[in-house]
Amino acid sequence: MSLLDLFKRRGSAPVARERLQVLLAYERRNRSQPDLVSVLREEIMAVIARHVQIDQDYLQVSMDRGETMSTLEIDIQIPNKSARPLAMSA
Amino acid sequence: MGKVVVVTSGKGGVGKTTSTAALGAAVARTGKKVALVDFDVGLRNLDLIMGAERRVVFDLVNVIQGTAKLSQALIRDKRVETLFLLPASQTRDKDALTEEGVGEVIEKLSSVFDYVFCDSPAGIERGAQLAMRFADEAVIVTNPEVSSVRDSDRIIGLLDARTVKAERGEQIAKHVLVTRYDAARAARGEMLSIDDVLEILSTPLLGIIPESQDVLKASNLGSPVTLSDPTNSAARAYIEAAKRLEGEELPVVVPFERKGFLDRLFGRRAA
Ligand SMILES: Nc1ncnc2c1ncn2[C@@H]1O[C@H](COP(=O)(O)OP(=O)(O)OP(=O)(O)O)[C@@H](O)[C@H]1O
Ligand SMILES: [Mg+2]
């Protein structure tokens, strides 16, 4: 690595490069099959829908796709009256 | 009801997406509730410029087709809490947007937000027409060169003919935003002057954004230029333009090049 490289690294281009790598890796994977986070999202929602009637208004889904780690947040507000007793609850 | 502002140009690559992000963020920073809507279906980019590309779950087409609620598709900005993005989808099917669907989305947004900025795709076809359809105001992004000014003229024609407001016989408020203005080239007479542009388009001026490395830097970082470094010349020009959009009367100063001694001596172009 030359001295010049050291200086170049301080610019904004490395950030751009890293952001693009994460995004494009995701988009390319997604062209052939949906990514794990999306599959999980769909399946978790299906499971929840089996037990409670969820109003879409009370459901927030957020994702953050990282390079080594992604987060999936599902925030559901369940009105007490609509929750059917769960088979597994004691 | 909030104001619906379309950011449009006809010609591609003149700075619509950059301007949508910069103006929207500048307005939101003052506490106004702002939604940015990406209409560039198939080629979305506003998410990248806003640095929200990793957080897209649902998009405009999902909302129109009913697979997601509007509230679920809106992404809140991490820096300015009154700023939201509604991403475009990456599907190639441009007909996924219906006029009725777009109308409903815009209506809902404008009942909640103070400003709804619509980032238009390039061209004068369906996508661009849908982006402007429900607008109250238009920011026409123009570069000071012949093909951009000509396309702006065509867009102005469409704004006066094909928007709901125009069809009702009302006036849609139009503003020209000159971007990528290079003071050095203007000084050498190599670029259309601001007066030329305004005279040809006979539309009031919202601002002049200088050609600036800071714009590229901001897009690398995924931040509107008005948030990443509000002090640089492009950011300041956008912040002033945003104030004018909100009705403040600020004179527009044409950026000029202070020529250094060596430049004058050798007729060299200043950086
Ligand atoms: N003031 C400026 N100074 C320097 N570069 C700029 C400036 N404004 C925009 N650019 C650059 O011009 C390019 C096009 O900008 P942008 O994507 O905002 O245009 P657009 O009109 O949205 O394009 P499209 O028609 O493809 O949607 C980008 O690389 C952007 O960084
Ligand atoms: Mg664009």
Side-chain angles (χ1 to χ4, degrees):
Chain A
M1 190 169 64
S2 75
L3 202 62
L4 190 68
D5 285 348
L6 211 92
F7 281 115
K8 270 197 214 145
R9 255 162 227 282
R10 290 223 297 249
S12 57
V15 182
R17 186 186 128 99
E18 197 258 344
R19 290 175 60 218
L20 275 175
Q21 274 172 338
V22 173
L23 178 68
L24 295 185
Y26 164 78
E27 287 190 342
R28 285 180 192 144
R29 241 184 293 124
N30 247 351
R31 262 172 233 163
S32 44
Q33 69 197 72
D35 68 316
L36 180 60
V37 182
S38 302
V39 171
L40 283 176
R41 170 171 53 89
E42 295 286 323
E43 292 192 5
I44 291 170
M45 309 250 280
V47 169
I48 294 166
R50 256 193 277 145
H51 294 282
V52 266
Q53 257 238 304
I54 17 172
D55 188 331
Q56 292 279 315
D57 282 327
Y58 295 103
L59 179 76
Q60 276 296 337
V61 185
S62 61
M63 279 203 256
D64 199 336
R65 292 181 284 270
E67 194 172 13
T68 53
M69 194 87 83
S70 293
T71 60
L72 170 66
E73 249 176 67
I74 300 184
D75 185 334
I76 321 162
Q77 292 180 29
I78 304 165
N80 290 334
K81 59 173 169 16
S82 75
R84 261 189 264 142
L86 301 181
M88 284 200 312
S89 65
Chain B
M1 283 303 256
K3 253 188 207 166
V4 180
V5 183
V6 61
V7 180
T8 184
S9 69
K11 189 168 167 21
V14 295
K16 293 178 292 296
T17 301
T18 303
S19 300
T20 304
L23 291 173
V27 173
R29 240 174 34 131
T30 69
K32 295 267 164 56
K33 289 189 80 179
V34 175
L36 310 180
V37 186
D38 191 345
F39 273 87
D40 210 341
V41 173
L43 285 172
R44 73 163 174 235
N45 262 328
L46 190 54
D47 57 333
L48 259 180
I49 299 303
M50 294 298 294
E53 74 281 0
R54 297 176 179 194
R55 296 164 59 212
V56 175
V57 184
F58 301 114
D59 55 54
L60 178 59
V61 171
N62 293 140
V63 176
I64 286 177
Q65 293 178 340
T67 47
K69 286 266 181 170
L70 183 56
S71 58
Q72 295 174 322
L74 285 166
I75 303 173
R76 184 195 286 263
D77 189 82
K78 287 199 165 165
R79 298 149 295 213
V80 182
E81 64 162 21
T82 53
L83 181 59
F84 290 78
L85 167 70
L86 180 56
S89 68
Q90 287 285 60
T91 60
R92 262 151 287 175
D93 182 12
K94 296 214 176 198
D95 295 328
L97 294 187
T98 60
E99 179 174 332
E100 197 192 352
V102 170
E104 278 170 23
V105 169
I106 297 288
E107 164 114 41
K108 275 191 204 145
L109 286 173
S110 65
S111 69
V112 177
F113 289 91
D114 299 311
Y115 280 89
V116 180
F117 285 92
C118 303
D119 180 17
S120 174
I124 53 168
E125 306 301 322
R126 187 180 149 79
Q129 294 196 17
L130 274 175
M132 70 169 64
R133 183 79 188 144
F134 302 94
D136 302 306
E137 300 201 13
V139 172
I140 300 134
V141 180
T142 309
N143 294 162
E145 47 96 20
V146 286
S147 56
S148 175
V149 174
R150 176 209 208 174
D151 286 5
S152 292
D153 192 61
R154 294 195 67 184
I155 279 291
I156 288 171
L158 283 178
L159 286 164
D160 287 334
R162 297 286 177 83
T163 53
V164 170
K165 230 176 161 179
E167 285 175 4
R168 277 203 220 113
E170 296 167 39
Q171 269 287 324
I172 172 164
K174 301 181 293 286
H175 318 265
V176 168
L177 182 67
V178 176
T179 63
R180 313 203 67 164
Y181 183 81
D182 185 332
R185 294 187 56 204
R188 290 197 303 269
E190 293 172 9
M191 225 173 37
L192 284 174
S193 76
I194 299 293
D195 288 341
D196 295 338
V197 174
L198 296 183
E199 192 192 315
I200 296 167
L201 297 178
S202 54
T203 300
L205 181 65
L206 187 68
I208 305 166
I209 315 298
E211 171 79 21
S212 160
Q213 289 297 316
D214 295 309
V215 171
L216 180 65
K217 197 166 129 196
S219 70
N220 278 344
L221 298 175
S223 170
V225 69
T226 45
L227 294 185
S228 59
D229 169 15
T231 61
N232 68 60
S233 59
R236 275 185 286 131
Y238 271 123
I239 289 169
E240 286 187 5
K243 286 183 180 163
R244 288 186 200 103
L245 196 63
E246 291 202 76
E248 237 179 88
E249 285 191 18
L250 287 173
V252 183
V253 181
V254 179
F256 67 96
E257 192 72 11
R258 234 179 258 108
K259 281 198 178 169
F261 171 71
L262 285 177
D263 296 314
R264 255 176 289 168
L265 201 63
F266 299 110
R268 199 166 53 184
R269 181 188 157 171

